[in-house]
Amino acid sequence: MNAAGFSSSSVTAQSWEPYVEDGRKTGEIHWLVQAEEGQMSGLWRIGPEEGAEFPYKPAATDTFHVIEGEAELETPDGEKIEVVAGGIYSFPAGFAAPGELGRRS
């Protein structure tokens, strides 16, 4: 990030790194911003093995655009949220889908 607060990046095959959360690899990430104050922004990709099922619980507001594939989130009260290619989604801090982000394709 430069002094004006502007960030930019280019994605290459070498710019991805493993993304590990709670000791478990949950895909790969290309960071755009990773600030000490907890501000994070980047691209995340996940394959069928890592994406089979894992808890989704964002620490801050999490907004994303699904480029490919689909999944289903199941909330603790049983509500199912379909996440599909082309969709843009935003979940608040504290949202929880414990262990139920199931990749479907």
Side-chain angles (χ1 to χ4, degrees):
M1 185 162 18
N2 67 23
F6 170 79
S7 299
S8 66
S9 181
S10 295
V11 179
T12 66
Q14 296 78 28
S15 66
W16 294 92
E17 62 185 71
Y19 185 66
V20 179
E21 189 171 307
D22 295 329
R24 181 177 176 195
K25 182 179 175 192
T26 56
E28 296 179 305
I29 194 151
H30 170 89
W31 291 109
L32 174 62
V33 174
Q34 195 174 12
E36 290 180 22
E37 307 84 40
Q39 178 186 6
M40 299 181 297
S41 182
L43 298 174
W44 175 59
R45 65 182 178 186
I46 190 165
E49 285 132 32
E50 302 99 346
E53 287 191 8
F54 69 90
Y56 174 62
K57 48 187 180 201
T61 298
D62 192 17
T63 302
F64 56 89
H65 175 216
V66 177
I67 296 172
E68 180 179 291
E70 58 186 34
E72 183 176 87
L73 289 166
E74 185 172 341
T75 66
D77 64 0
E79 179 184 358
K80 294 182 189 237
I81 302 168
E82 304 249 352
V83 177
V84 298
I88 301 171
Y89 306 88
S90 188
F91 295 92
F95 174 86
E100 297 299 328
L101 173 58
R103 185 180 169 109
R104 297 194 320 210
S105 68

